[in-house]
Amino acid sequence: SHHRETCACCCCRVRLRMRDTVALFFLVPGRQLGGCTSFVVHLHDGLMKQGYDPKIYRIGARTSPVPRDFGYGLMYTVLSRVDAVALARSQPSLVAYAFWKHHAEDAQPLLRAGAPIVIHDPAEYASASFCAAHGVRVIAIRPGNADTLRGMGCDAQYIPHPYVPIEAPVVEERCF
């Protein structure tokens, strides 16, 4: 089918076809677990449930064909900066997380190529001046952040966190 829909979950504000691949760039130093990683996992799972094919990428010195463990049962691929920018220009992409202090040089060309960036909390406002100066689309997952970022001159849109609850195992209480 050639029916197209606008995908709000991927934050791209571009037209996508079901099963389109969406590149999710995760720009953090070293191996990270916790909030930034779980956000990308929830985003990945939300896109899958909507019928898209999300792929997680990190940027390294050179492209590696070998997928690596992202955690939570997902894999990622390492791309060179040049290959990452080419990918961002050729398909829907999103900078799902960028630790600006260490990855501004990786994030800026992706943003110039049209990939929006997700801002999760005020600790990530370091990218705001670049985004405002270059007309980069910013996705805020909290309404207050969207308001603050718009006040800083950013093209900011609020889209809720794609949190997907999981069922916790039932633990039987025992008295000893």
Side-chain angles (χ1 to χ4, degrees), residues 5-140:
E5 297 179 18
T6 301
C7 173
C9 178
C10 77
C11 315
C12 296
R13 294 193 314 196
V14 297
R15 301 301 248 173
L16 297 173
R17 288 185 306 253
M18 296 312 233
R19 299 312 311 159
D20 269 358
T21 299
V22 178
L24 304 176
F25 291 98
F26 186 66
L27 308 177
V28 298
R31 179 137 170 95
Q32 296 284 324
L33 296 174
C36 59
T37 303
S38 64
F39 170 78
V40 173
V41 171
H42 287 298
L43 181 59
H44 178 279
D45 291 351
L47 288 166
M48 290 286 291
K49 286 179 181 175
Q50 289 190 17
Y52 302 102
D53 184 22
K55 304 288 185 201
I56 302 169
Y57 297 97
R58 294 185 76 172
I59 295 180
R62 61 184 127 328
T63 296
S64 171
V66 179
R68 298 177 189 189
D69 182 26
F70 186 76
Y72 303 94
L74 299 177
M75 304 299 281
Y76 72 92
T77 302
V78 175
L79 297 178
S80 69
R81 190 180 303 156
V82 169
D83 288 345
V85 170
L87 184 67
R89 286 189 177 128
S90 69
Q91 71 180 56
S93 300
L94 175 68
V95 177
Y97 193 89
F99 189 48
W100 200 257
K101 181 178 176 181
H102 294 283
H103 285 281
E105 289 183 9
D106 293 328
Q108 290 173 359
L110 294 170
L111 301 174
R112 282 191 204 103
I117 186 170
V118 177
I119 300 294
H120 306 85
D121 58 49
E124 298 169 53
Y125 289 174
S127 64
S129 61
F130 177 86
C131 293
H134 292 84
V136 172
R137 293 173 292 164
V138 177
I139 306 305

